[in-house]
Amino acid sequence: AQSVAQPEDQVNVAEGNPLTVKCTYSVSGNPYLFWYVQYPNRGLQFLLKYITGDNLVKGSYGFEAEFNKSQTSFHLKKPSALVSDSALYFCAVRREGSARQLTFGSGTQLTVLP
Amino acid sequence: KAGVTQTPRYLIKTRGQQVTLSCSPISGHRSVSWYQQTPGQGLQFLFEYFSETQRNKGNFPGRFSGRQFSNSRSEMNVSTLELGDSALYLCASSTGTGIRTEAFFGQGTRLTVV
């Protein structure tokens, strides 16, 4: 079985400040980790993924994520938040050798305050 | 390149009716997956199709079914609608069946059952 936890339902940050959205996972075997963003009344947009290699992954719109195997975490980060980053963020996992469906976390609502 | 297209965007149905949702994947993508998004349950996997074959199915009752056509377009059908079927239904496409490939989502179909 595999699972993803996003411990914070809501994250507020001031524009221009760094942001972090937390994600921890539980899988047996190698994880494949993804971040998606959802704007109101829209589908999910792919931001970035970790497959293997460098623990720091860079993605779209200036976002990056750090894979930490010992802490089973994959936190999403951005050095300087924009008001337009305000959205719902989802972390997702697949397990090597498993079926292909994504297992999603419950989502974190990010609000960037002007 | 056009993204994943889902039709219709909004749908209102009466309890007991049936509904068909449509998904056109990104050109060249042969894998299509469906997810249900609700406030209470979050994002849950319904099924995945590749080359007109169902590859994997989530834990949903038999009232939920799908199919894929030779042009990779997919439909999902829900029969005998219940109030709890009200949700955003998301379709995602990817290039193949590799576990490392990201999925690209459509804007979803908002189904309301009254």
Side-chain angles (χ1 to χ4, degrees):
Chain A
Q2 56 209 44
S3 64
V4 175
Q6 293 182 243
E8 300 162 317
D9 292 335
Q10 175 84 39
V11 170
N12 296 326
V13 64
E15 188 175 27
N17 282 2
L19 70 86
T20 298
V21 182
K22 296 179 181 177
C23 170
T24 59
Y25 65 91
S26 175
V27 298
S28 54
N30 292 326
Y32 297 111
L33 296 154
F34 303 81
W35 275 103
Y36 285 86
V37 59
Q38 186 177 36
Y39 295 96
N41 298 315
R42 303 292 293 272
L44 277 66
Q45 293 181 29
F46 169 73
L47 282 177
L48 50 80
K49 65 180 179 182
Y50 172 81
I51 302 301
T52 187
D54 289 341
N55 290 340
L56 185 64
V57 179
K58 294 189 182 298
S60 305
Y61 313 118
F63 284 94
E64 57 190 28
E66 187 170 10
F67 173 68
N68 188 316
K69 189 171 183 178
S70 63
Q71 297 186 4
T72 62
S73 67
F74 188 55
H75 299 332
L76 181 70
K77 300 181 179 185
K78 187 174 183 181
S80 178
L82 301 172
V83 172
S84 58
D85 292 330
S86 299
L88 187 57
Y89 289 80
F90 289 95
C91 182
V93 67
R94 284 185 186 134
R95 178 177 60 84
E96 187 173 36
S98 75
R100 275 176 31 89
Q101 73 262 28
L102 291 161
T103 298
F104 285 91
S106 55
T108 298
Q109 180 65 50
L110 172 68
T111 300
V112 181
L113 305 167
Chain B
K1 186 182 274 192
V4 178
T5 302
Q6 291 188 245
T7 56
R9 289 290 312 278
Y10 301 92
L11 208 49
I12 300 175
K13 288 288 188 178
T14 303
R15 194 170 46 182
Q17 287 186 314
Q18 70 141 15
V19 68
T20 299
L21 312 181
S22 180
C23 171
S24 293
I26 292 172
S27 177
H29 286 194
R30 297 172 63 192
S31 174
V32 173
S33 299
W34 289 88
Y35 291 81
Q36 181 196 64
Q37 185 179 20
T38 60
Q41 299 298 316
L43 282 152
Q44 294 186 288
F45 171 76
L46 281 157
F47 23 66
E48 180 189 16
Y49 287 87
F50 180 80
S51 292
E52 303 177 65
T53 301
Q54 188 179 89
R55 295 284 299 246
N56 198 14
K57 191 177 192 302
N59 188 25
F60 279 82
R63 300 185 296 108
F64 291 81
S65 63
R67 59 178 176 169
Q68 186 181 33
F69 302 95
S70 58
N71 61 358
S72 295
R73 190 177 69 86
S74 177
E75 290 181 347
M76 68 163 282
N77 184 276
V78 188
S79 62
T80 320
L81 283 165
E82 300 176 359
L83 296 178
D85 297 333
S86 295
L88 181 67
Y89 290 88
L90 293 165
C91 169
S93 75
S94 57
T95 54
T97 57
I99 202 162
R100 302 180 176 201
T101 56
E102 60 270 27
F104 294 90
F105 285 79
Q107 294 190 345
T109 294
R110 172 77 61 186
L111 172 64
T112 302
V113 182
V114 297

